[in-house]
Amino acid sequence: MARNENRGKEATSKLHQSGLSNVVFHQLDVLDTESIKSLAKFMETEFGRLDILVNNAGASGVVVDEDGPRALNVDPANWGSLLTLYKTLSKLFHWFNVRLQEQG
């Protein structure tokens, strides 16, 4: 997954060339709800489930109160990424939960 589709396809191609033929690319912008929904639909259609999702985007778009994270011994520089991951996972899990309920 990558926000930039060209870079994602290029990386996938390199992985295929190195012998990893089961690598699949799908565009994802973790700050865009429609992009998250698109990924969730793709995963459901292609794989039927989500086993693991790693967010290495480092994008947050949030302003952090640095005193709170410091009190928990968390580096404030990482707090925004953790929040973005939480929001992304919450949206994906919500989407899958709705689909499961629809299926009965």
Side-chain angles (χ1 to χ4, degrees):
M1 293 175 277
R3 183 177 28 203
N4 182 306
E5 192 166 356
N6 290 333
R7 290 178 64 192
K9 287 180 178 180
E10 184 179 306
T12 302
S13 177
K14 288 179 182 179
L15 290 169
H16 287 171
Q17 291 170 12
S18 72
L20 299 171
S21 61
N22 63 343
V23 175
V24 178
F25 169 76
H26 192 281
Q27 188 273 339
L28 174 65
D29 181 344
V30 297
L31 299 177
D32 179 4
T33 300
E34 292 305 312
S35 181
I36 294 168
K37 287 180 184 178
S38 175
L39 173 65
K41 288 178 186 176
F42 171 78
M43 288 187 302
E44 181 181 45
T45 301
E46 293 296 316
F47 308 108
R49 67 177 195 249
L50 170 66
D51 290 327
I52 188 168
L53 174 67
V54 177
N55 175 18
N56 193 30
S60 68
V62 298
V63 177
V64 178
D65 171 12
E66 294 185 6
D67 292 334
R70 280 201 184 102
L72 298 171
N73 292 323
V74 175
D75 181 357
N78 296 327
W79 194 252
S81 296
L82 292 172
L83 183 59
T84 299
L85 176 60
Y86 169 78
K87 288 179 179 180
T88 302
L89 289 174
S90 294
K91 290 174 185 176
L92 281 171
F93 291 137
H94 172 75
W95 192 90
F96 274 111
N97 187 39
V98 169
R99 296 302 164 268
L100 288 172
Q101 289 178 9
E102 289 173 351
Q103 295 173 3

